[in-house]
Amino acid sequence: MGKVSLILRVVLVTLVALLLLCQNVFAFSRGMMRMAVASPSPLLDAVNAIKNKQMTATELMRSTLEKIEETDGHVGAFLSVFGEDALRKAEEVDSKLAAGDPEWAAKPLLGLPVAVKDNLCVAGKPTTAASKVLEGYLPTYTAEAVARLEAAGAIVVGKVNLDEFAMGASTETSAYRLTRNPRALGHVPGGSSGGSAAAVAAGAVLAALGSDTGGSIRQPAAFCGAVGLKPGYGRVPRHGLLAYTSSTDVVGPLTATVKDAAALLQVLAGPAPDKDATSAAAPVPDYLAGLGEAGPRPLEGTRVGVIQEAENCAPEVAAAFKEAVATLEGLGAAVAPVSFPRLSEQCTAYYVNAFSEASANLARFDGIRYGLASKRTDTARGSMLNTRAGFGDEVKQRIILGTFALSAGYSDAFYKKAMDTRTLLAEEVKEAFKKVDILLCPTSPTLAYEVGAYAAKGASGYQDDVFTVPANLAGLPALSVPCAVAPGGLPIGLQFIGDVLREDLVLKTGYHFEQATKIYEKLQLDPALSGNTAVPENAVIGVPEKPVFTYEWGVEIPEEKKAAASAAKETLKSALPAERVQIGYIDVAENSVAIEVVSETFAGKTAAERAAAVAAALGPAATGLAAAELYATTAREKFVAGVQRALPNAQVFGPDAQSSQSEE
């Protein structure tokens, strides 16, 4: 009996172990589906799970592609997705691990899906900078920062949206699509790295690359509740980054937590003298080890300078900042005021500098070397006008102003004066860091703008960059960490600025603040993404007979397809007293779209009656949409299942829809 009992116990222990293993696989492969982050390092958790064979790289990649498919119809973060290529690379990772290849097992980011801002080159993949000028451009080389991630085992899953040529603060100047804030879909994600921040915040990827010229990593991170690190100038090579302002452009990571940002910087940092003459030849510290251990007062001895001129903020931002300062004091930091009397002038100086460099950098897009080929014309002026037609209004405005600032007779009054102001800032910063180790201020004086609000502000919106541009002008590392959640769910960011190439201290200070507050556990997605709030009972989903919104892997959405979807939406908005009409769900693999319509007129009606109402309202207005019956002819059952997964309480109509979901 004793032997039988022992055998039973061994069997029981084995079964429990297998159950735990299955739970781990499920937890990791579906980890990005959670509404809030529950770990100090979800990125490293995923990589370690692959290495420990708790899940495969292929499982993580499939989960990532599913998440993109489920969220991107709402968020609009991606311009291109490389599904087949990414899955092939994930399978290669699994094959190498199964073969016991030690070189692959040692890669620090093994199997990690990452998104890349679309102003960073990836060989053979579309790189547009969100501009029509570069539509169809396929680089022959890969940016150094991207190549370093790939060498560390990461897999590029897609390219994400941005303001055109990184010129903007809302990602609304993109020539291709609108990106929305995953925390509140009626708001923008910030910019210019809005697609990167939105993809991370939505849980589509655990990490993304962005670029920061005057706050373009940190401000979207603050708006979306992500962590955004702007390395010091030269710490990460700029090779392969489409230039906007060469003297301030940097490449950096956006992640869910500070520890994950440190893990990415460990791979990204280091000189590349053969590719980028401005890269710093300084030693790269161990950023992960430098975070230190948790304790009651982990920042004892750290001197934090609170920028006194960091004022005129939204009330929610001011209150959150005051509380953050108190938290840092509680962690042992010695807090003292620091003054930068010319802070507001720095913003003006930055934009004169940025516009001037942009006018020079974008001169190459002349239709001869790069950009749109000129239409046939008899004059040089006509050729110039034709080739510049691909630029959006914001880019044209910045080029014109920059050219004016550099023109004869005006460069002393504008550009030289801006450079003098930049020199004064460098001197002020040098003096400040004799007294403190870290400078502290809000990342942005405002919460995330409502869609359309930033454009309405015009040039006055430039002043909202007042807290971020000094770090760029002085070449300093800076980190944005979520510090609070405002009523309505919008995140608020706190900015840590360090001395030259002191990313290690910036990360350490930000990490201990993050672990003391754990704001990442409190952040929520918009109800349309999180499933927190059920879809109203009067919602109806129409499934088109023919594809109207093409979103193939690695293929940009054709304008005529987008126009068809938009026409359908606008027609329904005007024909029905609808509370909401939007693209509700996109089946990327099957090239189909669902249009979600929420209207009181559907209350109490069957699915068939709702279908008839929508079909009658739609009529022949949108090419590609059937007027009488809306349904997917290709893999309809799979598509309907996807709709129901994304919007579980919605009625799906079309022929035989009852086989998947019965009428009310």
Side-chain angles (χ1 to χ4, degrees):
M1 288 293 291
K3 187 178 288 188
V4 172
S5 176
L6 179 61
I7 292 172
L8 287 173
R9 269 185 281 179
V10 170
V11 171
L12 180 60
V13 169
T14 304
L15 287 172
V16 170
L18 286 171
L19 177 61
L20 289 174
L21 178 61
C22 289
Q23 287 176 335
N24 283 336
V25 169
F26 178 79
F28 281 117
S29 66
R30 303 298 291 175
M32 290 180 289
M33 303 294 284
R34 293 181 301 222
M35 291 176 290
V37 176
S39 163
S41 184
L43 183 156
L44 292 177
D45 288 347
V47 171
N48 289 333
I50 291 171
K51 291 184 176 183
N52 296 332
K53 299 184 179 179
Q54 293 173 299
M55 73 169 173
T56 65
T58 303
E59 287 171 336
L60 179 59
M61 185 57 69
R62 289 193 185 280
S63 175
T64 299
L65 294 173
E66 286 177 13
K67 189 64 175 176
I68 294 171
E69 188 176 334
E70 290 175 9
T71 61
D72 213 49
H74 289 291
V75 177
F78 284 83
L79 291 180
S80 53
V81 181
F82 316 133
E84 291 183 8
D85 188 45
L87 281 171
R88 181 183 56 78
K89 290 179 179 178
E91 290 166 359
E92 183 182 9
V93 168
D94 293 332
S95 175
K96 294 290 186 180
L97 280 181
D101 189 320
E103 183 180 343
W104 279 70
K107 291 177 182 285
L109 302 178
L110 190 65
L112 177 73
V114 295
V116 173
K117 187 175 179 179
D118 205 30
N119 62 346
L120 284 157
C121 292
V122 177
K125 303 297 184 186
T127 300
T128 67
S131 177
K132 290 294 184 182
V133 165
L134 287 174
E135 189 169 22
Y137 171 56
L138 300 176
T140 57
Y141 68 99
T142 295
E144 177 65 13
V146 179
R148 289 182 177 186
L149 290 185
E150 291 181 323
I155 301 170
V156 177
V157 70
K159 305 291 288 295
V160 284
N161 203 15
L162 65 150
D163 284 293
E164 185 180 6
F165 278 103
M167 299 183 191
S170 64
T171 313
E172 291 175 294
T173 68
S174 168
Y176 295 100
R177 69 186 311 193
L178 173 67
T179 300
R180 295 179 179 272
N181 192 321
R183 309 296 178 188
L185 293 173
H187 294 72
V188 298
S192 63
S193 304
S196 302
V200 170
V205 290
L206 292 171
L209 280 185
S211 64
D212 194 309
T213 305
S216 288
I217 287 175
R218 291 158 289 155
Q219 183 249 36
F223 280 10
C224 291
V227 169
L229 174 64
K230 172 212 165 304
Y233 188 77
R235 178 60 89 182
V236 178
R238 292 185 296 113
H239 166 265
L241 172 69
L242 300 181
Y244 166 21
T245 304
S246 300
S247 69
T248 64
D249 287 344
V250 296
V251 179
L254 292 97
T255 57
T257 67
V258 176
K259 193 171 185 178
D260 287 349
L264 256 70
L265 183 62
Q266 197 69 59
V267 170
L268 294 168
D274 57 328
K275 295 179 179 177
D276 179 7
T278 65
S279 61
V284 177
D286 188 332
Y287 296 114
L288 284 169
L291 297 178
E293 299 296 327
R297 293 175 67 81
L299 297 180
E300 193 80 57
T302 303
R303 302 170 299 169
V304 175
V306 177
I307 298 177
Q308 292 299 96
E309 289 75 18
E311 50 192 15
N312 298 324
C313 300
E316 302 92 334
V317 175
F321 182 60
K322 184 177 180 181
E323 188 174 339
V325 172
T327 299
L328 288 167
E329 287 181 309
L331 292 171
V335 176
V338 175
S339 179
F340 286 90
R342 296 184 182 86
L343 186 66
S344 61
E345 297 173 22
Q346 298 301 330
C347 206
T348 304
Y350 162 77
Y351 273 104
V352 172
N353 176 70
F355 293 175
S356 299
E357 292 193 36
S359 74
N361 279 328
L362 271 65
R364 70 193 69 181
F365 300 105
D366 54 9
I368 300 172
R369 292 168 293 176
Y370 301 96
L372 296 175
S374 173
K375 297 175 184 176
R376 202 163 187 80
T377 179
D378 295 329
T379 65
R381 183 175 184 275
S383 176
M384 180 176 289
L385 290 174
N386 287 339
T387 57
R388 270 54 171 188
F391 287 126
D393 291 342
E394 181 66 25
V395 175
K396 288 178 183 177
Q397 174 176 284
R398 296 190 185 203
I399 291 172
I400 291 169
L401 290 172
T403 303
F404 176 76
L406 291 174
S407 60
Y410 293 97
S411 60
D412 284 353
F414 295 103
Y415 183 72
K416 186 177 182 299
K417 198 167 187 179
M419 292 303 96
D420 291 343
T421 305
R422 187 173 182 177
T423 301
L424 288 173
L425 172 67
E427 293 172 358
E428 290 180 356
V429 165
K430 188 175 181 179
E431 287 302 310
F433 279 115
K434 291 178 181 178
K435 304 171 186 176
V436 300
D437 304 307
I438 292 288
L439 294 172
L440 191 74
C441 64
T443 307
S444 170
T446 72
L447 300 174
Y449 314 112
E450 291 185 357
V451 172
Y454 183 75
K457 296 178 77 166
S460 66
Y462 296 160
Q463 197 63 30
D464 289 349
D465 295 337
V466 64
F467 299 153
T468 54
V469 297
N472 295 86
L473 289 174
L476 305 175
L479 176 74
S480 180
V481 178
C483 67
V485 182
L490 290 173
I492 298 170
L494 179 67
Q495 182 178 210
F496 301 85
I497 304 172
D499 203 352
V500 177
L501 299 182
R502 288 308 309 270
E503 292 87 358
D504 56 335
L505 187 55
V506 166
L507 287 163
K508 177 184 176 181
T509 312
Y511 172 72
H512 288 293
F513 173 82
E514 175 195 68
Q515 292 308 299
T517 57
K518 293 189 185 296
I519 299 300
Y520 57 73
E521 293 182 351
K522 303 169 186 175
L523 294 165
Q524 299 292 325
L525 296 176
D526 186 282
L529 297 174
S530 67
N532 241 8
T533 302
V535 175
E537 291 298 331
N538 57 355
V540 60
I541 305 298
V543 186
E545 182 178 20
K546 299 177 182 177
V548 296
F549 198 89
T550 303
Y551 195 98
E552 298 172 355
W553 301 126
V555 178
E556 294 172 11
I557 305 163
E559 284 301 312
E560 65 272 14
K561 303 288 186 176
K562 288 196 290 186
S566 297
K569 286 166 58 180
E570 294 306 314
T571 299
L572 291 171
K573 280 181 183 178
S574 59
L576 293 169
E579 300 163 29
R580 183 167 76 243
V581 179
Q582 63 184 28
I583 300 297
Y585 181 82
I586 297 175
D587 188 315
V588 184
E590 298 301 340
N591 220 13
S592 302
V593 67
I595 294 180
E596 176 188 0
V597 184
V598 179
S599 174
E600 290 296 331
T601 60
F602 297 140
K605 288 185 169 59
T606 66
E609 290 169 334
R610 296 177 187 187
V614 170
L618 191 59
T623 304
L625 284 177
E629 296 170 334
L630 308 181
Y631 67 102
T633 57
T634 306
R636 191 192 61 77
E637 289 185 6
K638 176 186 174 185
F639 182 74
V640 170
V643 172
Q644 292 170 338
R645 184 170 69 247
L647 303 165
N649 287 343
Q651 294 293 319
V652 181
F653 64 80
D656 302 320
Q658 290 79 8
S659 63
S660 295
Q661 183 172 0
S662 60
E663 294 186 358
E664 293 175 54

